[in-house]
Amino acid sequence: METTTAVNPFLEGNFAPVREEMTSDPLKVIGELPTDLSGMFVRNGPNPQWTPIGQYHWFDGDGMLHGVEIRHGKASYRNRYVRTRGFEIEQKAGKAVWSGILEPPQPDSDGYKNAANTALVWHAGQLLATWEGGAPHAIEVSQLETKGEYTYNGKLASAFTAHPKVDPVTGEMMFFGYSFAPPFVKYSIVSPQGELLRTIPIDLPMGVMMHDFAITANYTIFMDLPMTFNPARMQRGEPGLMFERDRPSRFGILPRHGDSDSIRWFESPSCYVFHTLNAYEEGDEVVLIACRMSSTNVFVTQPEQRDPDGDIPRLHSWRFNLSTGTVREEMLDDVPIEFPRVNENLLGRKTRYGYVGKMAPTPLPLFDGSIKYDLQAGYAQTYEYGKGRYGGEAVFVPRPDATVEDDGWLVTFVYDTDAGTSELLVLNAQDLSSDPVARVLIPQRVPYGFHGTWVSQQQLDASV
Ligand SMILES: [Fe+2]
């Protein structure tokens, strides 16, 4: 395969990796960090250790964690690679061994390297770095050292979505793993104490890329969307995954603890969804809110095959009526957005507010602001990062002992393209029109990445 890395935009600018793992304490703060904002923001993202072999996709790079720990109004920073088995093998080799998802799987290794580069979840006293093609990795906080693959004492029987869902009321964690062989999806429930309780198959007609899902208090919602896997495409030297816009979307609703045959499928027009904002129950309906694209070019490598209307995610709702079997889809706003988050103390319940990244009108996935949706009032408030400044996923951090849903902060890394510097931006989630609460200056560039999480002081103190 030809190496195309010299012109790959995901290896340039602030998509380019940083090489140094550093620790810095204390950091300069503009504004004031509230004393009740205490814990650690950790964000995952791709950061290739070596020059990639073959075509490089943004999803391929080795996971690197960037953490900002905040306590008593002071902040410190550290960044660490997730030291996966593949990372260690490539470090010893002094070069890349695996190519990425745009290339055929490697026959003499694990196929694709578990990059552990996508997201993080805190559950049962353990921080996990996630990647949807393999097992999660246990991460020690607050040092961000990798403890190793986490397999639930060998019970893990599937891959592990980057986006597990923790029920804030029961403490259970739901996850799934997909593969390209029947039954294509396996769904699991982990007890509040961290024991993997059960795994059941979710049978699909064919293999698809299933990046996210959703929960309500009683149901789990799967998205069987037409990003299909076809081995014949790989034999032709094309990516195995492709979006097929003539196929419909299917949404499966399963009682949380139900058996495989209790899932109910609802069909709606073709689309792709990377991320869900939330889901909840209302009367006879299950409501899903997510970032919907009419199509995606995410695995299209030939420019002439790109759909010019693809890759424009907008907030949509789907109302699945469990008594009539009908589905009603509605666009909630026409602004391109991604990286949706809610106050996760209310995950699976009806939330009034949603927080998303506002996509800049650029060919690359850049975010020029944060939007707070008031879904009850049908109102949006935007914080613009400023000229040449781009952020990432903004995570909602609830204020300890808060009594209203939006009492807390939004935190995200922002990169200033003119200055070449990064900062952690802390916004007042109750009023995005106000000046930032604080800007924490990071002593090195933080590349654009994927998902983050907030580990509270209470969780840090209780970590295993
Ligand atoms: Fe994701």
Side-chain angles (χ1 to χ4, degrees), residues 72-233:
H72 304 310
K74 296 199 176 348
S76 63
Y77 166 80
R78 70 180 57 231
N79 65 308
R80 295 291 183 273
Y81 277 108
V82 184
R83 293 184 173 262
T84 64
R85 198 179 68 85
F87 176 94
E88 302 282 5
I89 289 170
E90 292 189 331
Q91 190 171 56
K92 277 205 188 85
K95 62 178 184 176
V97 173
W98 282 265
S99 53
I101 52 178
L102 295 177
E103 303 288 352
Q106 282 86 89
D108 54 352
S109 62
D110 285 350
Y112 294 105
K113 178 175 59 179
N114 181 341
N117 65 6
T118 313
L120 295 143
V121 64
W122 179 274
H123 187 243
Q126 180 64 62
L127 183 66
L128 300 173
T130 57
W131 181 75
E132 67 192 43
H137 282 74
I139 304 297
E140 185 274 336
V141 286
S142 58
Q143 302 299 304
L144 303 185
E145 303 298 339
T146 303
K147 299 198 300 197
E149 284 197 3
Y150 198 76
T151 64
Y152 294 91
N153 294 318
K155 288 186 183 170
L156 181 64
S158 70
F160 191 96
T161 174
H163 297 295
K165 303 291 180 237
V166 178
D167 186 309
V169 176
T170 69
E172 295 166 298
M173 183 172 75
M174 278 55 72
F175 73 88
F176 68 92
Y178 69 89
S179 75
F180 299 138
F184 300 113
V185 173
K186 289 179 180 172
Y187 161 64
S188 299
I189 301 176
V190 182
S191 77
Q193 293 74 32
E195 187 190 351
L196 204 165
L197 298 175
R198 70 191 298 243
T199 299
I200 64 165
I202 305 292
D203 213 353
L204 305 183
M206 62 192 302
V208 294
M209 179 182 176
M210 191 181 286
H211 184 67
D212 198 359
F213 72 140
I215 61 164
T216 69
N218 294 291
Y219 296 98
T220 299
I221 305 166
F222 297 94
M223 301 188 291
D224 178 15
L225 309 177
M227 175 84 87
T228 61
F229 177 79
N230 182 343
R233 286 198 289 261

Side-chain angles (χ1 to χ4, degrees), residues 387-434:
K387 188 172 177 293
R389 288 162 57 87
Y390 299 104
E393 182 185 63
V395 171
F396 178 82
V397 181
R399 186 190 303 275
D401 307 318
T403 54
V404 292
E405 183 187 325
D406 61 346
D407 187 5
W409 304 272
L410 285 183
V411 293
T412 183
F413 286 118
V414 169
Y415 177 70
D416 187 310
T417 53
D418 291 334
T421 55
S422 294
E423 62 191 51
L424 183 77
L425 184 68
V426 181
L427 300 174
N428 173 2
Q430 287 193 300
D431 183 8
L432 293 198
S433 68
S434 58

Side-chain angles (χ1 to χ4, degrees), residues 217-342:
N218 294 291
Y219 296 98
T220 299
I221 305 166
F222 297 94
M223 301 188 291
D224 178 15
L225 309 177
M227 175 84 87
T228 61
F229 177 79
N230 182 343
R233 286 198 289 261
M234 285 182 88
Q235 281 157 12
R236 294 197 296 267
E238 300 167 6
L241 284 162
M242 186 177 285
F243 184 77
E244 295 192 69
R245 72 190 79 173
D246 52 348
R247 285 178 181 273
S249 302
R250 298 169 75 236
F251 295 84
I253 300 183
L254 176 74
R256 179 180 296 176
H257 296 273
D259 293 323
S260 305
D261 57 7
S262 55
I263 193 165
R264 288 184 60 186
W265 290 100
F266 294 76
E267 212 170 275
S268 70
S270 180
C271 72
Y272 198 70
V273 172
F274 274 103
H275 299 117
T276 63
L277 176 82
N278 200 6
Y280 57 91
E281 297 155 35
E282 197 164 59
D284 289 340
E285 293 180 324
V286 168
V287 183
L288 170 68
I289 302 178
C291 304
R292 178 193 191 274
M293 302 180 280
S294 57
S295 80
T296 174
N297 299 303
V298 69
F299 294 114
V300 174
T301 53
Q302 305 302 320
E304 66 278 8
Q305 290 174 1
R306 292 181 69 82
D307 176 359
D309 296 324
D311 298 324
I312 306 173
R314 297 182 171 101
L315 202 66
H316 279 65
S317 69
W318 291 258
R319 303 185 80 94
F320 307 105
N321 191 309
L322 297 176
S323 58
T324 63
T326 55
V327 53
R328 190 153 52 92
E329 181 185 296
E330 184 186 2
M331 185 166 75
L332 302 179
D333 190 21
D334 62 0
V335 173
I337 47 89
E338 245 293 350
F339 286 150
R341 300 293 294 239
V342 293

